[in-house]
Amino acid sequence: MTDPLAASGLVIVDKPAGLTSHDVVARLRRIFQTRKVGHAGTLDPMATGVLVAGIERGTKLLTHLVGADKVYETTIRLGASTTTDDAEGEIIATADTSHITDEQIDQGIAALTGDIMQKPSAVSAIKIDGKRAHERVRAGEEVDIPARPVTVHSFTHTVRRGEHLDIDAQVHCSSGTYIRSLARDLGASLGVGGHLVALRRLNVGPYPATQAKTLEELEANPQLTYSMDEALKLGWPVLDVTQEEYDALALGKWLTPRGLDGVHVAVGPDGRAVALVREKGKRLATTFVARPATL
């Protein structure tokens, strides 16, 4: 029996610098010859690394990945502020950094680690009244985005002193954290300004850069990185269910709770994933049906 989800799953793209996430999706539509392509979280044009793309029914899985933690590799340059908080913007202020000590940098980074309130960059992709902030800025509008809670789980770094004062760092953070804003806020706390000069995403949840393929590699060999089953089993704890339970979940029905914590992927006796499930009161209910009975 042919699996109706054989062409569905995730592709982990190693996004090159210079392309928008939308550009990558457009290329993938041509490569996989389908309109059903989407991505789970924008990367700025200057950024490289992991862009998780969904193909066919894999696009339905993307909303469940947007909230995943991210890991970034970045270089922050102190001593200059830009209009975009990264190297693509115009420099609006410079300052001497020769007096900045490693200890001051350590303290500044410590203050940006853990649960913090962060003000996103005015040129972010956040929508304000239906229009993206960066579009409003480019149209000449003043944009003020309120600070929001984010979590920086770790912020490891090394300092490089030369022509510039650069900090090479690896940041593990919650979804919604802006690395550009960390650079801006670190520079501001030290009184010298700061901006990003390099950014690479190493992980989105359990999906790492080591599995990513370039667009050229995908054009030469169009292939899913993870089938729907692989993507689901890698992303969530497995809950084994009987065939009867599998059939019920495929219809969107609920099961009796069994003391589960958080979202699990329900897997039938044949090893195929049927749905993401979560306990809600007296029900073990589906949050996403991978293999609906109608397929």
Side-chain angles (χ1 to χ4, degrees):
M1 179 180 169
T2 304
D3 183 0
L5 295 186
S8 298
L10 299 181
V11 173
I12 313 303
V13 181
D14 190 343
K15 189 190 89 63
L19 292 186
T20 67
S21 299
H22 183 73
D23 292 336
V24 173
V25 167
R27 290 272 291 273
L28 291 175
R29 284 174 175 156
R30 290 196 297 271
I31 291 169
F32 286 91
Q33 299 184 331
T34 176
R35 295 290 303 165
K36 291 184 180 177
V37 180
H39 67 79
T42 301
L43 270 181
D44 291 335
M46 73 165 274
T48 67
V50 173
L51 186 71
V52 177
I55 308 294
E56 299 294 353
R57 193 159 179 79
T59 57
K60 303 289 186 183
L61 188 55
L62 298 176
T63 54
H64 302 276
L65 301 176
V66 171
D69 280 1
K70 315 288 195 299
V71 178
Y72 295 92
E73 196 172 67
T74 186
T75 298
I76 297 168
R77 180 158 294 165
L78 297 177
S81 301
T82 75
T83 52
T84 57
D85 302 324
D86 63 26
E88 296 200 318
E90 294 178 20
I91 293 176
I92 51 177
T94 59
D96 177 48
T97 59
S98 59
H99 64 287
I100 301 294
T101 66
D102 286 6
E103 185 180 12
Q104 287 175 308
I105 293 170
D106 292 345
Q107 290 171 349
I109 285 176
L112 292 170
T113 306
D115 296 328
I116 62 173
M117 293 296 291
Q118 184 185 72
K119 196 177 185 69
S121 170
V123 292
S124 70
I126 290 172
K127 284 189 175 180
I128 302 171
D129 296 330
K131 192 173 179 181
R132 298 199 183 277
H134 64 78
E135 293 172 346
R136 291 185 176 275
V137 169
R138 290 186 181 105
E141 296 181 42
E142 286 286 327
V143 172
D144 184 36
I145 304 173
R148 54 186 62 192
V150 299
T151 302
V152 177
H153 301 290
S154 65
F155 195 156
T156 58
H157 68 283
T158 56
V159 177
R160 279 192 292 122
R161 296 176 188 273
E163 183 184 352
H164 302 283
L165 177 50
D166 287 346
I167 299 166
D168 296 321
Q170 189 172 109
V171 180
H172 173 199
C173 56
S174 64
S175 178
T177 304
Y178 283 85
I179 310 301
R180 277 182 297 166
S181 296
L182 291 178
R184 176 201 65 203
D185 294 345
L186 177 61
S189 72
L190 295 169
V192 295
H195 68 281
L196 281 192
V197 292
L199 182 64
R200 180 169 176 77
R201 191 151 68 189
L202 300 180
N203 283 74
V204 172
Y207 311 111
T210 52
Q211 294 298 312
K213 294 283 190 289
T214 65
L215 288 169
E216 290 73 24
E217 287 173 324
L218 289 166
E219 281 170 346
N221 183 22
Q223 201 171 44
L224 296 172
T225 312
Y226 300 107
S227 67
M228 285 290 282
D229 291 315
E230 291 167 339
L232 287 161
K233 291 176 186 177
L234 188 60
W236 290 270
V238 169
L239 170 68
D240 291 317
V241 296
T242 65
Q243 189 61 50
E244 185 181 0
E245 291 170 330
Y246 179 107
D247 294 341
L249 292 172
L251 290 167
K253 294 181 178 179
W254 53 271
L255 306 178
T256 54
R258 50 203 75 187
L260 300 180
D261 184 24
V263 176
H264 284 59
V265 55
V267 176
D270 62 358
R272 290 183 177 185
V274 60
L276 291 176
V277 295
R278 182 173 207 151
E279 294 196 0
K280 298 175 184 177
K282 296 182 178 180
R283 296 183 174 188
L284 177 64
T286 60
T287 60
F288 165 67
V289 180
R291 283 191 170 83
T294 51
L295 273 186

